[in-house]
Amino acid sequence: QVQLVESGGGLVQAGGSLRLSCAASGRTVRNYGMGWFRQAPGKEREFVTAIRWSSGRTYYADSVKGRFTISLDNAKNTVYLQMNSLKPEDTAVYYCAANPNQNGIMSWNFYDYWGQGTQVTVSS
């Protein structure tokens, strides 16, 4: 089993920044893909970004390219999501997830482990 605990959400004005953290524990995730997804009220869960722990290769949704950055801290077993130039449409609950599969890194249904979610609210 893998446990994921997110932190770092909050309220920020448009144009501001937040950094989300996702601490992983339990089974090693060093061969996993780690992703961030978000879900706004009344909308489906959507892919935001992901990274392969073994290679460091990253993936981004078009809507966040150039504004969001995903990174890893091996020593802390933690994944970060740095969010800059935030927009009101970024408002959502953000979820960290772990994918043990080699494929489907941008598809939420390939992820086996999920954090509890953290609320990000961007005011205009």
Side-chain angles (χ1 to χ4, degrees):
Q1 289 286 350
V2 174
Q3 292 79 42
L4 302 172
V5 178
E6 302 115 332
S7 60
L11 173 65
V12 64
Q13 288 188 332
S17 298
L18 281 175
R19 188 177 79 157
L20 306 183
S21 301
C22 172
S25 62
R27 181 179 295 178
T28 180
V29 294
R30 297 301 171 90
N31 292 321
Y32 285 25
M34 301 297 297
W36 287 95
F37 293 79
R38 66 188 182 187
Q39 189 165 17
K43 295 188 177 181
E44 293 187 354
R45 189 175 309 184
E46 66 171 351
F47 170 77
V48 177
T49 181
I51 187 168
R52 294 193 186 276
W53 207 295
S54 56
S55 66
R57 181 177 177 181
T58 58
Y59 307 78
Y60 293 94
D62 288 343
S63 59
V64 306
K65 278 181 183 176
R67 300 188 299 123
F68 290 12
T69 303
I70 189 171
S71 62
L72 299 169
D73 185 327
N74 284 307
K76 296 183 178 180
N77 237 28
T78 298
V79 181
Y80 298 102
L81 176 60
Q82 178 67 44
M83 304 185 293
N84 299 328
S85 302
L86 282 161
K87 305 175 181 179
E89 51 263 44
D90 294 318
T91 295
V93 177
Y94 283 70
Y95 297 92
C96 173
N99 176 0
N101 304 292
Q102 293 301 310
N103 53 0
I105 199 166
M106 294 188 286
S107 302
W108 66 267
N109 53 322
F110 282 81
Y111 284 74
D112 290 353
Y113 305 100
W114 292 83
Q116 79 283 3
T118 185
Q119 177 71 46
V120 171
T121 303
V122 184
S123 63
S124 57

